[in-house]
């Protein structure tokens, strides 16, 4: 694999590529679509807007009306930004081979990125069968579509997860560490990786597997800790620090992940290649460090220590050395700049929605 991937080289490599993102209207997908358009690739998003998206947001009665409005505002921004840069969107359920095939055939992709999932391990645990179908039936359909068109589709990218590693036995894990996933989310991700590698091995598909970790960034509605903390600060609720907040995660800004994925698509590789990359910031930070940045942006935020949850997974740093060597990847956004920028954006969005709908929804 080539290591010299300047922006110009990436643009040249992606010229003429037609990239379909399955589950592409989500947090990662829409940011990836915007990034790919900057390099000139044509992009189609396929999504049924069902999971963690418009339909779920509108019908979710557990979310308070103000946050529903805020999320709706983020979702609308996604679609407006996509429209402005000419990304095509097809509404289809990727569990149905016919629906997926119809959407893909019209676009005739040269690369397909698979992102469809219940993207939260906590939510996936509540609906194991649904988790299986959204991750694996949709993936099977993508792989079958590709397998039948060896001369059209030159790469499948599968969005896996750092959870495939299970509890970290060492401070840092690289891609050679044997996965030990637990729970339905991590296991379906690992099964997905195995399926992708099997199609590579048996049918010669060119595949890339990406393992991201603890993402944060603009227009995310998943309410992971990075979003929950800034929201709680703005709502006057305490930021809960289990065990004093000494748990560590490899927090990654969405722009770094997008850069890494695009590099994995632009890099020169031989037919039938299979690659697995950790794409993260590459340095785990504590929950307390995250909370302190929120406190800097929202000085009234209350940090409250609570007892440790004993069943919390043990995480740490994902080494990005392989991506650095093979993709020329180097994450650009430490928490101090990336998370701060995100928090400041969040405050601005919060105030804007508040001014629009009034405090009566809060
Ligand atoms: N966000 C993270 O921190 C993170 C970390 C590691 C891995 N991942 C993985 O990356 C992928 C994307 O994550 P995300 O954060 O963008 O999630 P997301 O929930 O924002 O987006 C997932 C999208 O898939 C769509 N979808 C689900 N089932 C579908 C179906 N049957 N047909 C068509 N569309 C369907 C949903 O409507 C949604 O828009 C997921 O596979 C997730 O597991 C995410």
């Amino acid at each position: 694999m080539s290591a010299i991937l300047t922006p110009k080289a990436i643009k040249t490599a992606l010229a003429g590529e037609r990239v379909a993102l399955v589950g592409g209207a989500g947090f990662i997908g829409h940011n990836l679509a915007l990034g790919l358009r900057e390099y000139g690739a044509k992009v189609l998003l396929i999504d049924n807007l069902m999971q963690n998206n418009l339909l779920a947001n509108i019908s979710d009665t557990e979310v308070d009306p103000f946050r529903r409005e805020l999320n709706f505002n983020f979702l609308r921004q996604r679609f407006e930004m996509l429209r402005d840069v000419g990304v095509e969107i097809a509404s289809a359920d990727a569990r149905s081979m016919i629906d997926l095939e119809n959407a893909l055939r019209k676009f005739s992709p040269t690369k397909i990125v698979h992102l469809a999932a219940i993207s939260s391990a906590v939510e996936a645990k509540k609906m194991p069968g649904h988790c299986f179908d959204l991750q694996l039936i949709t993936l099977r359909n993508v792989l079958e579509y590709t397998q039948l068109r060896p001369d059209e589709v030159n790469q499948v990218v599968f969005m896996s997860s750092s959870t495939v590693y299970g509890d970290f036995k060492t401070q840092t894990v690289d891609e050679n560490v044997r996965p030990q996933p637990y729970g339905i989310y991590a296991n379906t991700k690992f099964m997905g990786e195995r399926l992708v590698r099997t199609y590579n091995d048996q049918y010669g598909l060119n595949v890339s597997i990406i393992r991201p970790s603890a993402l944060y960034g603009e227009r995310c509605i998943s309410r992971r800790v990075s979003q929950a903390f800034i929201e709680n600060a703005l709502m006057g609720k305490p930021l809960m620090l289990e065990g004093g907040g000494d748990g560590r995660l490899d927090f990654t800004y969405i722009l770094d992940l997008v850069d890494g994925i695009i590099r994995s698509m632009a890099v020169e590789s031989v037919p039938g290649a299979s690659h697995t990359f950790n794409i993260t910031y590459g340095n785990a930070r504590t929950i307390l460090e995250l909370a302190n940045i929120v406190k800097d942006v929202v000085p009234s935020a209350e940090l409250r220590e609570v007892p440790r949850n004993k069943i919390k997974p043990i995480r740490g740093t994902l080494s990005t050395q392989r991506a650095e060597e093979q993709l020329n990847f180097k994450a650009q956004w430490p928490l101090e700049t990336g998370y701060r920028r995100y928090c400041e954006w969040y405050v601005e969005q919060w105030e804007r929605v508040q001014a629009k709908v009034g405090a009566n929804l809060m």
Side-chain angles (χ1 to χ4, degrees), residues 22-29 46-53 78 92-95 114-120 134-135 138 159-162 185 189 212-215 222 224:
V22 177
F27 170 53
I28 298 177
I46 296 177
D47 205 299
N48 61 359
L49 308 180
M50 182 192 76
Q51 193 66 42
N52 201 23
N53 211 306
R78 288 184 191 177
D93 190 325
R95 284 172 295 184
H114 180 278
L115 303 119
I118 298 181
S119 61
S120 146
L134 295 196
Q135 291 207 31
T138 58
M159 213 50 56
S160 181
S161 165
S162 58
Y185 176 80
K189 283 295 179 199
S213 163
L215 291 168
S222 302
R224 297 188 180 84

Side-chain angles (χ1 to χ4, degrees), residues 180-313:
Q180 289 188 290
Y182 62 80
I184 189 74
Y185 176 80
N187 272 292
T188 43
K189 283 295 179 199
F190 187 53
M191 284 185 241
E193 289 195 2
R194 297 291 302 251
L195 198 59
V196 165
R197 289 196 193 99
T198 301
Y199 271 75
N200 161 263
D201 177 50
Q202 306 274 297
Y203 310 105
L205 267 57
N206 198 343
V207 299
S208 298
I209 292 167
I210 307 288
R211 294 174 177 164
S213 163
L215 291 168
Y216 63 88
E218 288 81 354
R219 301 171 301 282
C220 185
I221 62 164
S222 302
R223 211 163 194 271
R224 297 188 180 84
V225 63
S226 47
Q227 185 182 6
F229 269 14
I230 182 68
E231 276 196 0
N232 284 0
L234 290 165
M235 287 191 285
K237 292 185 182 170
L239 280 54
M240 301 299 194
L241 299 173
E242 289 182 9
D246 62 354
R248 295 167 71 246
L249 284 171
D250 196 341
F251 291 106
T252 306
Y253 191 35
I254 186 68
L255 295 182
D256 279 331
L257 176 71
V258 164
D259 179 52
I261 301 173
I262 289 178
R263 285 170 181 276
S264 78
M265 291 194 227
V267 76
E268 204 180 294
S269 80
V270 292
S274 167
H275 301 288
T276 302
F277 294 109
N278 291 337
I279 302 284
T280 65
Y281 183 72
N283 181 22
R285 304 289 297 273
T286 65
I287 306 289
L288 177 61
E289 286 174 300
L290 190 80
N292 280 333
I293 293 175
V294 174
K295 179 101 184 136
D296 262 4
V297 177
V298 184
S300 59
E302 181 201 343
L303 276 48
R304 188 181 295 173
E305 191 169 334
V306 291
R308 195 184 306 280
N309 178 348
K310 290 203 177 69
I311 56 163
K312 269 272 158 82

Side-chain angles (χ1 to χ4, degrees), residues 57-113:
N57 185 58
I58 286 167
S59 56
D60 188 349
T61 49
E62 283 174 24
V63 173
D64 62 81
F66 178 78
R67 281 193 21 245
R68 198 183 303 139
E69 186 61 30
L70 188 71
N71 284 345
F72 182 65
N73 165 61
F74 296 161
L75 291 167
R76 199 182 53 234
Q77 282 180 31
R78 288 184 191 177
F79 293 107
E80 287 172 355
M81 292 170 86
L82 293 166
R83 181 196 59 207
D84 290 351
V85 297
V87 171
E88 288 180 44
I89 302 180
S91 165
D93 190 325
R95 284 172 295 184
S96 155
M97 186 66 191
I98 293 175
D99 284 6
L100 181 71
E101 196 173 356
N102 279 341
L104 287 174
R105 241 200 350 238
K106 278 189 215 133
F107 180 72
S108 190
T110 55
K111 295 182 186 290
I112 307 180
V113 184

Side-chain angles (χ1 to χ4, degrees), residues 346-361:
Y346 214 95
V347 172
E348 193 193 306
Q349 296 290 318
W350 184 278
E351 288 170 353
R352 195 181 298 171
V353 173
Q354 211 173 30
K356 195 173 136 209
V357 299
N360 56 342
L361 277 188

